[in-house]
Amino acid sequence: MQKPLPRLGVNIDHIATVRNARGGEHPDPVAGAWAAIQAGADGITAHLREDRRHMRDDDMERLQKLCESENIPLNMEMAATEEMLDIALKLKPKAVCIVPERREERTTEGGLDVAGQHNRLVPIIAALNENGSRVSLFIEAAAHQIEVAAKTDAKVVEFHTGAYAHALEDGDQDKADKILKALQEGAHQADKLGLEVHFGHGLTFDNVGPIAAIPEGMELNIGHFIIGEAIFMGLEPAIKEMHRLATQARYG
Ligand code: PXP
């Protein structure tokens, strides 16, 4: 049976953040991915960063095996570098999301400049496509970025919802409304250009509704809040509640 949209991709990076704080093997992000799958996650997302601050190479290999055996897509987030491309080509995840990455940032700040990096991205996207990974580009919902993204062979754009989440956190409803409008218009534009639309970053129980309600959205990728909330309510209830809120926002 077809599950209701939008799909929920659970980003498990921050299980690895907790593990790495002590340098041992606990908690294991792959065990977390298994628990997320049991709780109804539609996909598992993990970002292999250049500095390996959370996921490690062997985590990605174990995740890919788990996802393959559970028939759940692994979405590997990566920077557009030769090193990451080599790893992704060997790993063969179902999906790859290309993100901008700066060493000094705390998390992925801002979207990819597809327009500015077009020539560098095109061969990377082509190699990933040929290797059987569906490529998404993590961008801001800006008309020119969407136009250029549609001219690449990427099949998906993931819109960065961080600015929307921050505006709400700051109590700036006017700003949040403007950003939400841009996300809605961007989703419409991308869909018309044949791109599948995903959303991610900074989403919580409180702010997911208006994003999940955007009709073109096919997937939400959510990590930090779900893993943080799992401390209080457990991973399974946190995932189930996020699913419930997203489905309710979409279908009433
Ligand atoms: N989508 C992308 C492309 C990301 O880089 C991240 C953060 O790693 C997320 C979604 C999830 O963001 P958050 O952890 O704030 O839910």
Side-chain angles (χ1 to χ4, degrees), residues 11 13 47 77 97 99 107-108 138 158 200-202 221-224:
N11 180 316
D13 290 349
H47 185 175
E77 293 176 358
C97 181
V99 301
T107 181
T108 312
F138 189 46
E158 180 168 325
H201 210 95
N221 281 300
I222 309 181
H224 187 267

Side-chain angles (χ1 to χ4, degrees), residues 98-160:
I98 301 182
V99 301
E101 197 174 298
R102 282 193 305 275
R103 250 170 216 248
E104 66 278 12
E105 70 189 358
R106 213 181 292 168
T107 181
T108 312
E109 292 161 5
L112 197 64
D113 180 12
V114 188
Q117 294 188 51
H118 180 263
N119 292 348
R120 196 155 76 86
L121 290 172
V122 163
I124 294 178
I125 295 168
L128 289 165
N129 269 336
E130 261 172 50
N131 202 48
S133 296
R134 201 163 71 133
V135 180
S136 71
L137 302 174
F138 189 46
I139 61 172
E140 302 290 339
H144 68 289
Q145 295 290 351
I146 299 166
E147 263 166 45
V148 182
K151 288 184 186 141
T152 71
D153 280 334
K155 303 287 182 281
V156 182
V157 279
E158 180 168 325
F159 289 135
H160 199 311

